[in-house]
Amino acid sequence: MFVLTASREADLSAPNAATPFPTLRTPEPYPPPVHPESMTIPSIARALAAGETSAETLVREALARIRASDDTIHAFLALHEDRALERAQAIDAQIAAGKSPETIGPLAGVPVALKDNICLAHGSTSCASKYLAEFESPYTATAAERLENAGAVV
């Protein structure tokens, strides 16, 4: 959204005064919008620490973006929304209890998507194969464990 304002540089009372030039300025939104796709990991950490956003808000925005675009791009085979929201709420509860995002982990509250060939103990791991469509992994891969241990919302 932009607001159109007139420049005050011209003297409007002079007989042949130049017409004021319109300028565009972006108003400061309150609260600031959250766009996880345009945020860096350090900016997410700063926003969480400052209370400008929450891990749950970041996850909800990421999920909304996935739902809005996945019909076109078909990038996701499965979403574990409930688990992601529970994890984000747990991180928010730790922050509300006074724990800083840095002590939770370097990826605290960061929504992360994994390729379907990384095993998770919850949900299926099909590798986009019909042959493996029903495969339920009995374990979580080390890469996914490390992401979660670092505070990421997988």
Side-chain angles (χ1 to χ4, degrees), residues 20-83:
F21 296 105
T23 57
L24 293 175
R25 67 176 172 84
T26 305
E28 294 299 321
Y30 187 80
V34 176
H35 301 289
E37 72 277 1
S38 64
M39 296 177 79
T40 62
I41 291 171
S43 69
I44 288 174
R46 282 191 300 273
L48 287 171
E52 296 171 359
T53 191
S54 66
E56 182 178 358
T57 301
L58 290 168
V59 169
R60 286 189 185 279
E61 288 295 320
L63 289 170
R65 177 136 173 136
I66 290 167
R67 283 191 297 273
S69 62
D70 201 46
D71 287 343
T72 305
I73 62 175
H74 306 288
F76 292 87
L77 298 177
L79 290 176
H80 304 287
E81 295 183 42
D82 293 338
R83 188 173 189 287

Side-chain angles (χ1 to χ4, degrees), residues 5 16 36 44 46 50 53 58 68 76 85 87 97 110 116 125 133 135 138 141 145 147 149:
T5 60
N16 291 322
I44 288 174
R46 282 191 300 273
T53 191
L58 290 168
F76 292 87
L85 289 170
R87 173 102 169 115
V110 177
D116 192 40
T125 304
F135 178 71
E145 282 180 352
L147 285 167
N149 290 341

